[in-house]
Amino acid sequence: MKHIPFITVEGPIGVGKTTLSKQISEHFQYNILREIVDENPFLGKFYEDINEWSFQTEMFFLCNRYKQLEDINKNFLSNHQPVVADYHIFKNLIFAQRSLQPNQYAKYLNIYDILTEDMPVPNMVIYLHASLDTLLARIKKRGREIEKNISPVYLEQLLTDYHLFMKEFQLKHPDVKVLEFNGDELDFVKNESDLKAIINQIQEHLPKGVKAK
Ligand SMILES: Nc1ncnc2c1ncn2[C@@H]1O[C@H](COP(=O)(O)OP(=O)(O)OP(=O)(O)O)[C@@H](O)[C@H]1O
Ligand SMILES: Nc1nc(=O)c2ncn([C@H]3C[C@H](O)[C@@H](CO)O3)c2[nH]1
């Protein structure tokens, strides 16, 4: 299955993962896997009181993503159909490590390892990042009720967590292509040429044997 494109778009909250995933899916005609945010019944409470609601929130995200990945494996990847997803399952670790108590995180990690041991592994990660100001502006503009209590401090911590995690990820997984883009410098929504530059880089690094559109 290594030669079937399985692309994930990753980065902190509101950076544009879903927006870019849609554009990639439209351009390459790949199946898209999108996370349904409203499905997590704990998220609104989590933003009001992280300590109180973190375990339920992180477990829900983990179980949901496990099921989604099982489904896309069964329906698409195992039938040799490419997929672009607006998340990588590893994001669970970034969020869980930030919000869980150390003893809870140790238990969570055991469950994560069991659930993910035989999951399909993406062959490309597109890592989007942007400044705190950009993220805050986009989250505000999007205006999800559930996110009205997101604290800038929490967002900033996640930005740093993502940078550290991605550095380590590249060292640990040299076989997975990571393409990094700065969302403050590139605007793939308003500038056609910026989107084209991203698409060209993806095309260049698609698994061997995948033809240009
Ligand atoms: N390059 C961009 N320029 C301006 N606005 C953008 C850009 N990319 C995304 N947006 C807007 O920012 C908001 C967040 O984008 P999007 O929902 O794609 O982010 P996300 O990373 O998927 O978010 P989440 O982490 O919550 O899943 C949306 O309102 C979207 O229209
Ligand atoms: N706590 C927590 N753990 C996760 O694994 C996770 N993944 C996403 N999110 C939050 C970010 C956006 O508000 C919203 C949409 O991405 O959901 C998460 N929150």
Side-chain angles (χ1 to χ4, degrees), residues 13 37 43 46-47 57-58 61 65 91 95 144 147:
I13 304 174
V37 178
L43 193 59
F46 171 86
Y47 286 130
T57 307
E58 304 310 343
F61 272 116
R65 289 180 179 138
K91 81 183 296 168
F95 282 85
R144 276 186 194 141
E147 292 177 335

Side-chain angles (χ1 to χ4, degrees), residues 67-83:
K67 176 70 177 107
Q68 280 194 322
L69 278 176
E70 251 198 340
D71 289 347
I72 62 142
N73 197 23
K74 192 172 68 194
N75 297 329
F76 301 124
L77 294 170
S78 63
N79 295 323
H80 305 282
Q81 291 187 35
V83 171

Side-chain angles (χ1 to χ4, degrees), residues 39-151:
E39 276 182 7
N40 192 328
F42 305 110
L43 193 59
K45 294 187 181 103
F46 171 86
Y47 286 130
E48 283 168 22
D49 187 342
I50 291 186
N51 275 341
E52 185 59 28
W53 291 95
S54 55
F55 196 74
Q56 300 92 315
T57 307
E58 304 310 343
M59 286 305 300
F60 188 97
F61 272 116
L62 178 58
C63 295
N64 230 25
R65 289 180 179 138
Y66 170 78
K67 176 70 177 107
Q68 280 194 322
L69 278 176
E70 251 198 340
D71 289 347
I72 62 142
N73 197 23
K74 192 172 68 194
N75 297 329
F76 301 124
L77 294 170
S78 63
N79 295 323
H80 305 282
Q81 291 187 35
V83 171
V84 55
D86 69 358
Y87 66 88
H88 189 302
I89 191 118
F90 68 43
K91 81 183 296 168
N92 287 286
L93 297 177
I94 301 176
F95 282 85
Q97 193 162 19
R98 169 57 50 203
S99 70
L100 294 177
Q101 300 300 322
N103 64 330
Q104 291 176 322
Y105 183 65
K107 289 179 184 167
Y108 178 94
L109 202 50
N110 283 335
I111 302 168
Y112 176 92
D113 286 342
I114 292 168
L115 291 183
T116 56
E117 66 187 353
D118 55 355
M119 285 282 102
V121 187
N123 34 43
M124 191 185 292
V125 179
I126 296 168
Y127 172 38
L128 291 178
H129 53 87
S131 63
L132 179 63
D133 286 348
T134 300
L135 299 183
L136 284 169
R138 290 197 186 153
I139 292 168
K140 192 167 174 204
K141 183 178 136 214
R142 179 169 63 187
R144 276 186 194 141
E145 178 62 21
I146 216 171
E147 292 177 335
K148 65 179 192 302
N149 289 317
I150 289 191
S151 106

